[in-house]
Amino acid sequence: MIDRSRPATAVQSVVWVPPLGGTAERLGYLKDVSVPVLFANLDAAEPDPGDPFASLSRIVQATAAVGRARHGVAMCRGASALARALLDVPDQFDSAVLIAPFAFSRARTDAADALAAIAAAAHVGDTAAIEAILLSTMAEPGRSTTAARAWAIACAHRYLEPATRAILPWLSSATPTGTIDLTTAVRPPTRVLVIGQPGDAVHPLDVAEEITAFFPNSTLHIGTGSADILARRAELDAVIGDFLAQGS
């Protein structure tokens, strides 16, 4: 049962839940946060074949519990994992920021071909092919920005890591909500900020919209282009900082 009488706590620490191939560096986000930022190492999970995101959710929950963090910020696959954690333990987080979530109630079978191509390229160490595939998922003019190209190059090298390569085969077929029935599930009172962007095939705007519609205390911030989460990080980071501060 959710304790709805419990007041929100001041931000004392934040959990960062990274995207695929992400690291503790946070990709330029949470730069001005003065409290400890805890890294939820999703690559340490041993995914349950029947419900992989349940395993990722447990990593998020454990990281938050150890650091007594009640606030989370996540991107892409990490955003889907944090959304699942909000469902699994509805009163663990006071606020959550979901940047360009990858999926929610449906498997991303539409991304299967791209992920299979990335997996094949990673298997032979072809970083140029991975970079080209990633950039092809963005609409112009975002695709041609310096930030997008730098991101694709960095991801291409990280996707060669064994832990990341092991995720690629199941990512498009897994549903973040697993067997949870969203029609009867508890809708957490958590404050949720969802950041979406148009023209991004990897992080479709309709996923961000679906998540916003599900969580009752949520806000959707829509960018202007397919690479905003990369090219306009400083601006979005200010939005995130303001959102977290409002819950203090």
Side-chain angles (χ1 to χ4, degrees), residues 217-236:
N217 195 11
S218 62
T219 301
L220 176 62
H221 179 94
I222 302 177
T224 58
S226 64
D228 278 9
I229 63 171
L230 307 170
R232 299 174 64 188
R233 277 176 284 203
E235 177 184 332
L236 291 177

Side-chain angles (χ1 to χ4, degrees), residues 7 12 44 75-76 79-80 94 107 137 155 167 171 179 184 194 206 208 231:
Q12 297 178 335
M75 180 184 286
C76 189
S80 296
D94 290 329
T137 66
C155 286
I167 294 167
L171 190 57
T179 59
T184 58
V194 186
D206 62 358

